[in-house]
């Protein structure tokens, strides 16, 4: 294999996010910033990082010169999305804003079930193409790794179709897609049996297939009044653990209970947590469960945000993800949401950046990304500024002008 080594720079600032602890508060003076920095890429990984002028003599054969002012950050990681789906829910959105509640819409057959119907109707190609469009947009906005859930199929064939679409798009595009099985999203209306029976049927008929065909290593469940109870979830997650799946939970979105199960089962993360208070946070932190805030769902539903400041101050590992989905969170702009959420919760720049890079990678158990560091993946994003503080200040309107994934500059990322 031929080795291609490239020095890229100089960047006004390299914000490495290296050396930060993985949980609890972070102050901005902990940020490692290399002024006039350069980054050396070899075989998709970071070979060296430092001052451009110090690297230049050893790596002068191939230099990608950066002429203007740019600040470099690690590529973003969106640790929670539902971007594989058919249809749209613009009608639901309008209804909600006219006063009909999310749960009421769901009870009347709209909501998640509407997307299930449209997703079942789409064939594998159509589903993959729609997913690819959204994944491309994310990549152009700096998201180099993106988790994607199933959960709009809700029968064996359709859940498998969704996970296959995710696998196809992961192979087709440069962005890394991490699949999660959310067959336990809600009990499908056409399943004849109780929610507990649906979960048992799913575990017995899907889990080994997912493993054998490498479709997912992660199991998610929506614990809520309108979805599954804590008792039902406990049996399902117990089975998931026996198969060796990692666990993540949609917890405490409208009512508490899910976080306790997430803690009990040692989930990697508990996501949502809008309804959680000190008691719930304490249990999660004690069990080392990451708390993932989903500001896009709060914005989409007009609901409160997760109390991220409190979670950090109590020692938690806070991640911010979009929850991009057709129902509760249609926006899907990670940087904008992180910036707005950070301003609302009084998060430091370091805490917000860590929540969409290194800490988010941890939520997906990926230890090779999220930090600009030797031997890590060469995933990074360049913003047109000379001061990293400008990035969040513009609240998502300043987009990266260049995005590299595995050391490759993404075509069209330089179009804004
Ligand atoms: O994370 N909370 C449950 N599931 C999704 C919403 C899915 C939908 O409304 O389609 C969420 O918000
Ligand atoms: Fe979600």
């Amino acid at each position: 294999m031929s080795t291609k080594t490239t020095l890229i720079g100089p960047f006004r600032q390299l914000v490495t996010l290296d050396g930060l602890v993985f949980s609890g508060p972070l102050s901005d003076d902990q940020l490692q910033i290399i002024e006039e920095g350069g980054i050396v890429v070899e075989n998709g990984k970071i070979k060296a990082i430092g001052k451009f002028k110090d690297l230049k003599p050893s790596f002068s054969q191939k230099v990608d010169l950066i002429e203007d002012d740019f600040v470099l950050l690690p590529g973003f990681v969106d640790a929670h999305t539902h971007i594989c789906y058919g249809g749209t829910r613009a009608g639901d959105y309008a209804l909600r804003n006219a006063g009909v509640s999310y749960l009421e819409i769901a009870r009347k057959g709209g909501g998640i079930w509407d997307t299930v119907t449209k997703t079942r109707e789409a064939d594998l190609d159509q589903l993959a193409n729609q997913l690819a469009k959204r994944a491309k947009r994310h990549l152009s906005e700096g998201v180099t790794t993106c988790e994607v859930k199933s959960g709009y199929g809700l029968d064996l064939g359709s859940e498998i179709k969704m996970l296959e679409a995710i696998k196809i798009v992961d192979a087709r595009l440069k962005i890394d897609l991490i699949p999660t099985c959310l067959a336990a999203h809600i009990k499908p209306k056409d399943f004849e049996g109780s929610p507990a029976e649906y979960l048992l049927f799913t575990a017995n008929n899907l889990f080994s297939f997912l493993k054998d065909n490498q479709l997912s290593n992660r199991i998610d469940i929506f614990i809520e009044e309108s979805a599954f109870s804590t008792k039902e979830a406990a049996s399902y997650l117990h089975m998931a653990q026996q198969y060796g799946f990692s666990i993540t939970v949609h917890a405490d979105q409208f009512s508490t209970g899910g976080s306790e199960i997430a803690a009990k089962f040692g989930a990697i993360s508990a996501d949502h947590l809008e309804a959680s208070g000190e008691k719930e946070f304490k249990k999660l932190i004690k069990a080392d469960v990451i708390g993932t805030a989903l500001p896009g769902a709060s914005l989409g539903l007009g609901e409160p945000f997760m109390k991220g400041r409190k979670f950090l101050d109590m020692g938690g590992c806070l991640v911010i993800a979009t929850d991009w989905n057709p129902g509760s969170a249609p926006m899907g702009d990670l940087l904008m949401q992180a910036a707005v959420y950070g301003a609302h919760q009084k998060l430091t720049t370091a805490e917000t950046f860590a929540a969409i890079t290194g800490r988010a990678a941890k939520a997906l158990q990926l230890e090779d990304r999220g930090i600009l560091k030797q031997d890590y993946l060469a995933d990074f994003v360049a913003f047109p500024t000379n001061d990293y503080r400008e990035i969040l200040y513009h609240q998502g309107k300043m987009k990266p002008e260049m995005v590299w994934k595995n050391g490759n500059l993404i075509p069209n990322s330089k179009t804004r």
Side-chain angles (χ1 to χ4, degrees):
M1 189 165 108
S2 70
T3 311
K4 198 176 138 236
T5 310
T6 309
L7 167 63
I8 312 172
F11 294 97
R12 294 291 90 86
Q13 297 177 324
L14 288 184
V15 184
T16 68
L17 298 176
D18 191 15
L20 301 175
V21 290
F22 275 97
S23 48
L26 297 169
S27 67
D28 288 343
D29 55 17
Q30 291 175 283
L31 284 173
Q32 185 193 62
I33 294 167
I34 304 173
E35 310 277 347
E36 298 304 317
I39 190 157
V40 179
V41 173
E42 190 177 275
N43 296 331
K45 293 201 170 158
I46 299 172
K47 187 181 168 65
I49 183 162
K51 291 266 187 206
F52 186 78
K53 67 171 173 25
D54 298 340
L55 292 168
K56 201 156 171 232
S58 323
F59 298 101
S60 57
Q61 309 91 321
K62 177 142 182 16
V63 180
D64 277 358
L65 209 58
I66 303 293
E67 314 261 5
D68 297 322
D69 286 354
F70 281 101
V71 169
L72 202 72
L73 287 181
F76 300 141
V77 177
D78 190 349
H80 181 139
T81 82
H82 309 247
I83 57 173
C84 182
Y85 63 84
T88 166
R89 300 245 294 280
D92 283 9
Y93 189 81
L95 274 180
R96 283 205 305 274
N97 291 347
V100 189
S101 79
Y102 184 65
L103 294 178
E104 186 57 28
I105 291 171
R107 267 195 289 273
K108 287 191 173 140
I112 294 171
W113 187 248
D114 180 51
T115 302
V116 170
T117 309
K118 304 283 170 18
T119 303
R120 286 182 180 177
E121 278 166 16
D123 66 25
L124 181 61
D125 264 6
Q126 291 166 330
L127 208 52
N129 289 341
Q130 293 175 50
L131 166 61
K133 249 196 215 164
R134 297 176 194 119
K136 267 189 196 165
R137 194 194 93 185
H138 237 14
L139 182 60
S140 78
E141 294 181 354
V143 177
T144 45
T145 300
C146 179
E147 186 258 19
V148 186
K149 298 175 195 297
S150 68
Y152 292 126
L154 305 189
D155 61 34
L156 299 177
S158 308
E159 282 294 303
I160 290 168
K161 179 178 69 177
M162 289 188 74
L163 291 164
E164 277 174 350
I166 298 166
K167 199 171 183 174
I168 289 169
V169 177
D170 176 55
R172 192 191 294 171
L173 302 181
K174 287 258 167 11
I175 188 171
D176 285 333
L177 300 183
I178 310 298
T180 302
C181 176
L182 179 59
H185 202 176
I186 52 170
K187 182 188 88 84
K189 287 182 191 301
D190 55 356
F191 182 85
E192 284 174 21
S194 66
E197 285 165 340
Y198 170 70
L199 292 179
L200 186 64
F201 173 81
T202 302
N204 284 337
N205 292 286
L206 198 58
F207 283 0
S208 58
F209 188 87
L210 298 183
K211 283 275 170 190
D212 293 348
N213 294 280
Q214 294 176 1
L215 285 173
S216 178
N217 290 320
R218 295 162 44 84
I219 293 293
D220 194 351
I221 183 164
F222 184 20
I223 301 178
E224 194 53 64
E225 192 200 305
S226 59
F228 297 102
S229 70
T230 50
K231 190 159 164 255
E232 289 154 358
S235 317
Y236 184 68
L237 295 179
H238 181 69
M239 288 185 277
Q241 273 184 337
Q242 285 179 327
Y243 278 90
F245 287 102
S246 294
I247 286 167
T248 176
V249 179
H250 277 72
D252 298 4
Q253 184 178 13
F254 302 107
S255 56
T256 55
S259 52
E260 190 163 351
I261 294 293
K264 195 164 158 207
F265 283 87
I268 306 299
S269 73
D271 303 22
H272 274 295
L273 307 181
E274 293 90 335
S276 313
E278 210 167 312
K279 191 172 110 218
E280 287 75 26
F281 285 170
K282 218 175 179 169
K283 286 188 182 153
L284 290 172
I285 293 164
K286 192 157 170 243
D288 213 12
V289 180
I290 291 169
T292 302
L294 304 172
S298 302
L299 292 167
L301 296 173
E303 294 282 337
F305 287 123
M306 173 195 169
K307 296 178 192 72
R309 176 74 266 153
K310 176 137 203 95
F311 188 71
L312 281 169
D313 288 342
M314 288 176 68
C317 174
L318 178 74
V319 165
I320 303 171
T322 61
D323 198 17
W324 191 359
N325 73 66
S328 59
M331 183 207 291
D333 187 323
L334 182 61
L335 185 63
M336 181 172 286
Q337 291 172 9
V340 168
Y341 181 72
H344 184 273
Q345 289 291 305
K346 301 278 175 275
L347 306 184
T348 64
T349 304
E351 287 165 342
T352 301
F353 282 162
I356 56 173
T357 57
R359 289 179 173 187
K362 190 171 181 239
L364 298 177
Q365 297 174 288
L366 300 170
E367 283 164 18
D368 58 355
R369 66 196 74 188
I371 303 174
L372 298 180
K373 187 176 179 170
Q374 192 180 340
D375 295 330
Y376 275 54
L377 293 186
D379 295 357
F380 36 80
V381 293
F383 287 87
T385 177
N386 57 15
D387 179 348
Y388 73 92
R389 293 170 303 186
E390 292 274 345
I391 298 168
L392 295 178
Y393 168 65
H394 286 278
Q395 299 193 306
K397 288 302 277 184
M398 179 188 281
K399 301 288 183 198
E401 276 194 16
M402 289 177 280
V403 177
W404 287 263
K405 175 70 188 120
N406 299 327
N408 298 301
L409 181 62
I410 301 301
N412 298 330
S413 63
K414 210 176 172 177
T415 54
R416 288 160 192 282

